[in-house]
Amino acid sequence: MMRASYAIAVVVVAACSSGAVPEDARQELMDTDLAFAQEVAQGGVEAWTSYFAEDGMMFLSGDPVVGHEAIHALMEPVFADSTHVLDWRPRRAEVAASGDLGYTVGRYRSTRAGPNGLLIRGGGSYVTIWRKQPDGTWKVALDIGSARETVSSGSGD
């Protein structure tokens, strides 16, 4: 199933890469992804879930998780950990010529306290596919990230 999600992402990337799209459309999507990161830093799982379309999908690992309820349930334990910090920055955005579909790609970092005072650092790359809603807002249709973790000796490393 993960191959299918990458195939979907490739098709969206190809669709968004063709045709002339005003720079302001790409900037709007970059700004939306940045706002997503900022609001999640403040609002946790509720903010995370609110940025997904009702039928939005994400891959944390394994099978896709679809819809607000399932995404909220998956991410609630992650955000319940008060030591967990998640941050990301988009590096690129593209919008389809139709103006209703786009994607952002970027890098993310996460840290959390592990056993025995060890700091667990994670991070990687992501691609988020966005769909414009009837009200003009962008919502996540599909979120995919690559993941890696390292363990540091102590909280300051």
Side-chain angles (χ1 to χ4, degrees), residues 15-91:
C16 291
S17 297
S18 60
V21 176
E23 179 60 32
D24 60 338
R26 287 191 289 277
Q27 188 59 54
E28 177 186 23
L29 196 50
M30 288 285 283
D31 292 345
T32 299
D33 200 349
L34 285 167
F36 182 22
Q38 292 167 350
E39 289 184 32
V40 166
Q42 299 298 315
V45 71
E46 299 302 329
W48 178 268
T49 305
S50 74
Y51 268 81
F52 279 78
E54 287 294 328
D55 62 346
M57 182 184 323
M58 69 174 284
F59 286 86
L60 191 56
S61 63
D63 292 332
V65 178
V66 181
H68 278 194
E69 188 174 315
I71 290 169
H72 189 281
L74 176 71
M75 297 303 290
E76 190 168 31
V78 173
F79 288 106
D81 178 352
S82 64
T83 68
H84 181 255
V85 176
L86 175 63
D87 183 44
W88 68 91
R89 292 289 176 260
R91 292 188 173 177

